[in-house]
Amino acid sequence: MDGTYELFRHFYAIPTHANDGGEEVAATRGVLNSIAGMLESGITHIGVATDHVIESFRNNLWPGYKTGEGVDPRLLSQFPLLEEALKAMGVMVWPMIELEADDALAGAATSLSKLSEVERIYICSPDKDLAQCVKNDRIVQLDRRARSVRNEQGVMEKFGVSPSSIPDYLALVGDDADGYPGLEGWGEKSTAAVLGIYHHLEAIPPKVERWKVQPRSAPRLAEVLETNFKLALLFRDLATLRTKEPNVSSPEEIHWSGPGTRFQAICKRLDDAQLVDRVAKIHARQRPRVKRSRRK
């Protein structure tokens, strides 16, 4: 799960709430209750990636890349609170500094997919860049708000390209959320048409006469790509998720085994005493029952 995405979503979806110390806690409380709902549904393995800081190595590559500028301080203040609360809840947390939360989701999904005992990995985020991680029906994207699952065929239907072409796709169309514009004139339809044939930037012929597909304004698109090819490669690098960490070597690393000793104090800080009992009941249901031997 993308903890940063969930924190933003809850911050703008629910009313604010400050605890007795004046600390804004509503979004954090919302995320924890959302995870409690997932656990109630029977989920037993979960890991949450967070942006410990919004800036990453990508800010050194492109000056316009997203930063924390303009983010509500009441939201930013909950970044460390969310990480602390999740750990107290007993949930595996991957706080990212040099890399981003999406990189962590990609790394976790990639490493888990190599384990034979793992049947399917759900990436709980609708972000476009995470579509590059989708692999057949083994690694899929779950949009929890829309209650939809996107497999490899779903990526093709949504973007018109395969998961492996998503970084190239974003390089051309851009990604406003991450702060890079793509190339002038390259829209979703024209990009899908061209990459549907050539898959990657390097394979697109520089001369439009050699293109096997002719989208609208094809000569202009070819000219823009040729002139800005190095820029397109830079944007693709920004869009390409790194998978080196975390390296999850066993499903047990993300198995939820119940809340820790600090959880009650965290819930008090969140002004949510009911969450203590809710999570305790979930844990009690998940624990294997010890059979009592009959007395002879």
Side-chain angles (χ1 to χ4, degrees), residues 249-264:
S249 59
S250 168
E252 288 305 306
E253 292 182 31
I254 58 171
H255 181 260
W256 185 71
S257 56
T261 56
R262 286 274 303 150
F263 188 60
Q264 187 170 352

Side-chain angles (χ1 to χ4, degrees), residues 156-191:
M156 290 285 295
E157 293 172 358
K158 172 69 175 178
F159 300 103
V161 299
S162 65
S164 64
S165 296
I166 289 295
D168 303 81
Y169 176 91
L170 293 175
L172 295 176
V173 303
D175 191 338
D176 292 338
D178 284 339
Y180 56 93
L183 299 191
E184 181 184 351
W186 283 85
E188 295 178 354
K189 290 184 178 179
S190 57
T191 299

Side-chain angles (χ1 to χ4, degrees), residues 1 3-14 27 30-31 34 75 126 143-145:
M1 173 186 283
T4 303
Y5 169 81
E6 292 292 331
L7 195 63
F8 269 81
R9 183 168 75 89
H10 283 85
F11 182 79
Y12 290 106
I14 61 179
V31 176
S34 178
L75 173 56
D143 186 336
R144 297 178 62 226
R145 282 197 298 175

